[in-house]
Amino acid sequence: MIEVSLEGYQEKQVLLARDRGTENYDINLNLKKNSEDPRSTDLRLRQEKLARSVAQASNLINNKRFDEARILLSNLIVEYPQVSVGFDLMGGLAFLQRDLKTALGYYERSLSINPENVETRQMVSRLRGMVQ
C-alpha cells in the first residue's frame, strides 16, 4: 500500500497488486482539493470584520457621529488590540474633539504597535508639542 499526500489535497491510498512481469509501475492519481482549512476561514472572516469596522468608523467620524464612532472603535481595539489602525482612529477622534492628552495616548499606543507609521509618528510629535 502506498499513501500519497500533498498539502491542500486529500490524502489517497493506493494498493498495488504484484505483477510478476516487472517491478516498475506507472501510477496516475487525481487528488481532490481539501475543503478550506477552518483556521484560514476564521482568519479571513476576522479580517473582513476588521475592514468593515474601520470603514464604518471612518464614515461615522466623517459624518460627525462621534459617540457612535467611539463605541465602535472601543469594541474594535478590544477585539483587535494588536492592530494599530483602531488606535489611530481613536486618536483622530479625540483630536477632533480637542481632547489632546487622550489623542496623544492613542497615537502613542498605535506607534508602539507599528513604529514604522510615519503619519502616526508625526501626530505624536505634533501632539507632544501641543500638550506640553
Side-chain angles (χ1 to χ4, degrees):
M1 171 121 14
I2 297 175
E3 288 186 18
V4 179
S5 63
L6 180 63
E7 186 175 334
Y9 291 86
Q10 292 178 0
E11 186 176 286
K12 188 150 192 164
Q13 297 177 344
V14 180
L15 180 62
L16 299 177
R18 287 195 172 245
D19 181 1
R20 302 220 183 259
T22 181
E23 292 184 15
N24 297 325
Y25 294 90
D26 287 324
I27 301 172
N28 292 311
L29 296 174
N30 288 320
L31 300 177
K32 292 182 181 179
K33 281 192 171 189
N34 280 335
S35 56
E36 196 166 338
D37 182 349
R39 290 173 296 184
S40 65
T41 301
D42 290 346
L43 177 60
R44 189 179 71 247
L45 292 174
R46 283 181 49 78
Q47 289 170 335
E48 286 296 325
K49 182 179 179 184
L50 173 62
R52 277 192 313 274
S53 295
V54 167
Q56 186 179 3
S58 294
N59 186 40
L60 290 170
I61 292 168
N62 289 337
N63 290 305
K64 296 181 177 27
R65 293 167 57 188
F66 298 143
D67 291 337
E68 293 172 72
R70 183 178 304 101
I71 291 167
L72 178 63
L73 289 170
S74 293
N75 291 331
L76 184 117
I77 62 178
V78 166
E79 190 166 351
Y80 301 93
Q82 295 305 317
V83 176
S84 63
V85 69
F87 293 97
D88 282 323
L89 289 170
M90 283 293 271
L93 179 58
F95 182 80
L96 288 172
Q97 295 182 308
R98 306 207 191 297
D99 185 352
L100 302 183
K101 286 184 180 181
T102 300
L104 178 59
Y106 282 121
Y107 279 117
E108 287 175 333
R109 176 69 175 114
S110 174
L111 195 59
S112 73
I113 295 168
N114 183 7
E116 304 301 318
N117 189 326
V118 175
E119 291 85 8
T120 301
R121 184 178 308 283
Q122 290 172 344
M123 279 304 292
V124 167
S125 177
R126 179 177 174 193
L127 284 167
R128 283 181 180 156
M130 295 170 78
V131 168
Q132 294 175 341

